[in-house]
Amino acid sequence: MVKEVSQTELQVFELSFGAGALSGVYDKIEEGWPLQACKAALENGINLFDTSPYYGRSEYILGDALEQLKEEWPRNSYYIATKCGRYGYTTKDCDYSAARTRESVQESCKRMKTSYLDIVYCHDVEFVPFEDVVGPGGALEALFELKQQGVVKNVGCSGYPLPVLLKIAEHQHQKGQPLDAVLSYCHYTLQNTSLADFAPRFRAAGVKYVFNASPLGMALFRPAGPPDWHPAHSELRAAAHKCAVYAQEQGLSIAELASTFSFSGRDQFGLNTTVIGLEKPEEVEKAIAAWKLVKAREAGTAQVPEVETATLAKINEILAPYKNYSWKSPQDKEIA
């Protein structure tokens, strides 16, 4: 009999399953991968799946996979996080109205075959005016109403610019209705560690759960490099490629180096979980292995090899001109 997760607080495993990768935006998804990946994740202790209506067919694919696993892994054995507000590529594809938010939550529940959602985030809050998020008739108002009804267990915001997320968190705290969760991405990586500075400020604003996503910088730090649509400028992409080549020359993987670095954030600044994009079971196993290595090093049962220390020093040198650089969001091409 599998263990039920707590329904009164989020007791999330240190790694979470980023189901945005199931949309195929990084690689072509082979048939069977989603089911096998979800099964491997659950068997290894991962208990939160993160998705969004914006991620193509991710909610459908995730819902189908979890449905097939329900005999062994019932709904009360894991958490589902999804989002609302952003439904397409440009700012005109965002709808933060209370009515659309309620409709979106219903659609997500239907796609994932569940009567409730453990977290719903306002997605990419920087794409709309501040008042659309926090004002009367806006998305947060609807989400907190749905929380009272038990349809949504936790309310949060996600986005790229940390100052925007903090402004919303502080506003909600001042009005006596603090956010439960904040999901930041690409801000605790080899290149950008700004989330470590912002995390205490989120906590001070009453945020219970601080999550980091995209430890590889949306594929910036993987051997194959990022997809063409990646927002990093050419100089940063070139630097990341140089890091990957150098790591390979030392017999190391840039993706594994990036993963182990980001996973250490839990103890560095009280991070609740790291959401990493996973497409197939092999990626789940690699992520778990990297996490176990971090835990062993923290426990003193494993040492960091000298070659790794030296390689990271060189990587930091290569990335130094771009340290804590954050690209513009939304990008010019995303503004309509």
Side-chain angles (χ1 to χ4, degrees):
M1 186 69 180
V2 299
K3 182 182 177 182
E4 293 185 15
V5 293
S6 171
Q7 299 297 321
T8 55
E9 63 175 324
L10 290 173
Q11 296 181 348
V12 182
F13 188 64
E14 295 184 27
L15 301 188
S16 292
F17 191 113
L22 299 181
S23 65
V25 295
Y26 296 106
D27 302 292
K28 184 180 182 296
I29 305 299
E30 300 292 337
E31 186 177 354
W33 280 4
L35 175 62
Q36 295 163 10
C38 289
K39 187 172 188 294
L42 289 164
E43 289 174 347
N44 279 283
I46 293 174
N47 64 0
L48 185 144
F49 297 86
D50 179 272
T51 184
S52 170
Y54 175 57
Y55 302 154
R57 290 189 55 79
S58 174
E59 287 189 325
Y60 293 97
I61 294 168
L62 178 63
D64 288 345
L66 294 175
E67 175 73 8
Q68 293 180 69
L69 294 168
K70 68 179 182 181
E71 292 302 318
E72 185 178 1
W73 300 95
R75 175 66 180 91
N76 61 9
S77 64
Y78 54 81
Y79 302 112
I80 294 177
T82 192
K83 306 176 184 75
C84 65
R86 187 179 183 189
Y87 305 101
Y89 184 69
T90 69
T91 52
K92 73 176 182 181
D93 299 310
C94 295
D95 188 340
Y96 269 66
S97 67
R100 181 67 183 102
T101 298
R102 286 188 285 268
E103 182 180 60
S104 184
V105 168
Q106 291 176 348
E107 291 168 351
S108 293
C109 284
K110 184 176 180 181
R111 290 169 189 149
M112 292 184 284
K113 304 170 178 64
T114 181
S115 60
Y116 68 96
L117 297 163
D118 298 286
I119 314 174
V120 178
Y121 300 102
C122 293
H123 195 179
D124 287 343
V125 288
E126 71 271 23
F127 274 58
V128 298
F130 178 73
E131 281 300 317
D132 287 10
V133 184
V134 304
L140 284 181
E141 179 183 276
L143 289 179
F144 277 107
E145 288 175 358
L146 290 167
K147 182 180 177 180
Q148 288 183 326
Q149 298 167 19
V151 178
V152 172
K153 299 299 181 75
N154 294 276
V155 176
C157 285
S158 70
Y160 184 65
L162 289 167
V164 176
L165 287 169
L166 183 61
K167 181 181 178 181
I168 293 170
E170 290 178 339
H171 173 86
Q172 289 299 124
H173 188 240
Q174 288 167 5
K175 71 184 287 187
Q177 194 180 57
L179 296 176
D180 297 302
V182 163
L183 174 64
S184 165
Y185 70 95
C186 294
H187 275 117
Y188 197 72
T189 70
L190 289 172
Q191 175 263 329
N192 194 322
T193 57
S194 301
L195 181 57
D197 298 324
F198 274 79
R201 301 171 72 181
F202 287 129
R203 303 288 187 195
V207 177
K208 297 178 192 172
Y209 311 108
V210 178
F211 297 161
N212 174 46
S214 300
L216 305 190
M218 292 196 301
L220 190 63
F221 296 109
R222 69 173 186 171
D228 292 339
W229 51 260
H230 197 285
H233 55 57
S234 58
E235 293 89 347
L236 177 53
R237 293 167 73 105
H241 176 69
K242 188 175 180 180
C243 292
V245 171
Y246 183 80
Q248 187 174 28
E249 290 172 349
Q250 310 311 309
L252 301 170
S253 162
I254 190 65
E256 291 177 15
L257 290 172
S259 295
T260 53
F261 175 82
S262 291
F263 296 164
S264 70
R266 181 179 179 89
D267 289 337
Q268 294 292 327
F269 58 96
L271 186 65
N272 290 93
T273 193
T274 296
V275 181
I276 183 168
L278 300 169
E279 300 174 347
K280 49 189 173 182
E282 294 87 348
E283 292 183 346
V284 176
E285 300 295 342
K286 285 182 179 179
I288 290 292
W291 171 77
K292 286 181 177 178
L293 180 60
V294 169
K295 303 310 288 184
R297 288 173 176 176
E298 290 173 349
T301 56
Q303 302 300 314
V304 181
E306 289 185 13
V307 65
E308 185 173 328
T309 301
T311 301
L312 284 171
K314 180 63 176 179
I315 286 172
N316 287 333
E317 180 184 318
I318 295 169
L319 295 173
Y322 317 104
K323 180 65 175 177
N324 288 350
Y325 161 79
S326 296
W327 49 79
K328 180 182 177 183
S329 182
Q331 300 268 298
D332 290 340
K333 58 189 176 183
E334 295 172 315
I335 299 173

